[in-house]
Amino acid sequence: MPGVPAAPDLSTQPRPVYVIGAGPGGLAVAAALRARGVRAVVVEKSESVGASWRRHYDRLHLHTTRRLSALPGLSIPRRFGRWVARENVVRYLEKYAEFHELEIATGIEVTHIEPSADSGPDGTGAPGWTLHATGGRVMAARAVVIATGFNHTPFVPDWPGRDAYPGPLAHAAEYRNPAPYAGRDVLVVGVGNTGAEIAVDLAEGGASRVRLAVRTAPHILRRSTAGWPSQRTGILVRRLPVRLVDRLGAIVGRASVPDLSAYGLPRPTTGLYSRVKQGAIPIQDVGLIDAVRTGRVEPVAAVDSFDGAEVVLADGSRITPDAVIAATGYRRALEGLLDGLDVLDDRGRPRTHGATTPPGAPGLYFTGFTNPISGNLRELALDAEKIAKSIARRVRT
């Protein structure tokens, strides 16, 4: 069929490259490897590709454009629109796996990996990796790509008194839509993109009151200005000096985003790109500015503790919400998988990513563990090509 990539004969490669995780990053690496004639097996603990995208809240759309979010070898259909909806991202990932005829093993969780110096069944004598998985499975790999994702394990702070709070307290990962919160007073904790969008969703979906607990004032960007997406700006400034981008960001912010200080959301005191380097991505506005200005979303101080039905805030005030949604981030949860390997930093993040392998761990690659200002899917696509090129070169030497 025209347009379908030729299927290389990979049957002579019994010791494949194993890719852990069937999200966008893992699928992209597998497709790029297959295009180079390298057998890749994607191992996924859930029963389907794109598991995390299937679990996201209903109203979610990509904050990056369709044109700049495609993975290697297959465009995202134009009919999905400029800002692709969550369910269409899932459809695209399903089609991507089918189109590239990827070898995917679902329902299997890799629990630990370790280096192996033996030659493996292919008899090359090249060092590789041994993977231990559920069901007592042991798999030999030529190389391993870990693509389990930036948002792996939901994290809820251990606030004092949290367990005695009588109302529902859920992580944002459990939130789907505002229907269960109609007519209720809801506190959303955390003002990243997820917290901001859930707060807007609740306000538009019938919650009686929505408050948004803010620890550090965020940078807010218009998703698009006069047709120019903020993602393109993020791509252009990535290699500029941090201080220069901070100054430019402040100018653009003052010109495009109103001052919300009177509503409890002041302009941040640290530069936009300085915050990005620390791991804090600006909020892409999908309704938060208007919701704050009209009082439908009320910024409040950060959560300090719980006292029965009351939530004690950092400024000493107390509120009594009917429900709390914690948009408080995720952990990578790589420690058990990589126990015994010195490849993570003190925050549990890979020390290397992309085509760079850790010292002392040749053949071990990471993708999807950064949160770039230029767009996550775009960077996953670029990393996939670099990783595949590195692995192809390695397995042929």
Side-chain angles (χ1 to χ4, degrees):
M1 183 171 64
V4 175
D9 180 11
L10 306 181
S11 60
T12 59
Q13 300 178 20
R15 188 168 64 152
V17 174
Y18 277 97
V19 180
I20 305 175
L27 297 179
V29 169
L33 285 168
R34 183 174 177 80
R36 287 169 171 78
V38 178
R39 184 186 176 203
V41 177
V42 182
V43 182
E44 169 58 45
K45 70 176 182 179
S46 73
E47 298 300 327
S48 55
V49 303
S52 64
W53 278 95
R54 295 174 191 274
R55 295 191 298 265
H56 284 315
Y57 48 94
D58 295 345
R59 74 172 276 159
L60 178 65
H61 286 66
L62 289 179
H63 294 157
T64 55
T65 68
R66 173 182 56 82
R67 288 178 177 272
L68 295 174
S69 300
L71 303 179
L74 184 65
S75 299
I76 299 176
R78 176 176 291 184
R79 68 179 183 276
F80 287 172
R82 192 182 197 194
W83 312 105
V84 183
R86 177 198 61 84
E87 63 268 22
N88 285 332
V89 174
V90 173
R91 292 189 182 100
Y92 171 68
L93 296 178
E94 291 173 337
K95 179 63 178 179
Y96 190 84
E98 176 188 355
F99 180 81
H100 288 289
E101 299 182 348
L102 302 183
E103 191 174 349
I104 303 173
T106 60
I108 299 173
E109 182 177 6
V110 178
T111 56
H112 185 60
I113 68 172
E114 58 188 5
S116 173
D118 64 38
S119 62
D122 53 12
T124 63
W129 294 86
T130 299
L131 289 73
H132 301 270
T134 50
R137 297 176 179 85
V138 178
M139 299 170 282
R142 306 167 99 184
V144 177
V145 182
I146 299 178
T148 50
F150 192 82
N151 296 337
H152 185 274
T153 301
F155 170 74
V156 178
D158 188 19
W159 292 298
R162 184 190 73 180
D163 294 340
Y165 176 66
L169 193 163
H171 189 273
E174 302 172 61
Y175 178 85
R176 295 295 174 269
N177 58 65
Y181 301 94
R184 309 184 78 179
D185 181 335
V186 187
L187 172 66
V188 180
V189 185
V191 71
N193 275 292
T194 297
E197 190 159 0
I198 288 176
V200 173
D201 199 31
L202 289 164
E204 295 177 350
S208 63
R209 187 175 189 178
V210 180
R211 283 175 282 205
L212 181 61
V214 180
R215 182 171 299 280
T216 304
H219 286 275
I220 303 175
L221 298 176
R222 299 288 188 182
R223 187 170 63 175
S224 178
T225 303
W228 178 266
S230 64
Q231 180 190 8
R232 287 198 177 275
T233 302
I235 294 170
L236 292 174
V237 305
R238 279 199 73 187
R239 303 192 185 281
L240 295 178
V242 172
R243 289 184 179 180
L244 175 59
V245 180
D246 282 349
R247 289 197 293 271
L248 293 173
I251 294 170
V252 172
R254 286 193 295 270
S256 62
V257 177
D259 186 359
L260 301 175
S261 300
Y263 304 95
L265 200 60
R267 294 192 188 277
T269 57
T270 53
L272 184 150
Y273 207 29
S274 293
R275 292 285 302 281
V276 169
K277 291 295 186 180
Q278 297 167 3
I281 296 299
I283 291 176
Q284 301 286 316
D285 179 50
V286 289
L288 180 66
I289 293 173
D290 287 342
V292 169
R293 295 178 76 181
T294 58
R296 291 175 296 151
V297 172
E298 307 168 45
V300 296
V303 171
D304 182 71
S305 62
F306 287 75
D307 185 6
E310 293 185 321
V311 179
V312 183
L313 303 180
D315 61 4
S317 61
R318 292 170 175 255
I319 60 176
T320 311
D322 298 323
V324 177
I325 299 173
T328 46
Y330 295 79
R331 294 293 181 264
R332 313 309 145 240
L334 294 171
E335 290 82 359
L337 180 67
L338 300 168
D339 185 38
L341 301 174
D342 185 23
V343 296
L344 304 178
D345 65 17
D346 56 3
R347 295 174 60 184
R349 302 172 304 182
R351 298 182 189 276
T352 60
H353 76 278
T356 303
T357 60
L364 179 62
Y365 299 83
F366 297 90
T367 185
F369 294 95
T370 60
N371 200 10
I373 194 173
S374 51
N376 190 45
L377 291 178
R378 177 181 182 273
E379 295 304 320
L380 288 175
L382 295 174
D383 275 353
E385 297 287 7
K386 295 173 184 176
I387 291 170
K389 182 178 179 181
S390 173
I391 291 176
R393 185 168 54 243
R394 179 176 181 271
V395 300
R396 287 170 183 157
T397 56

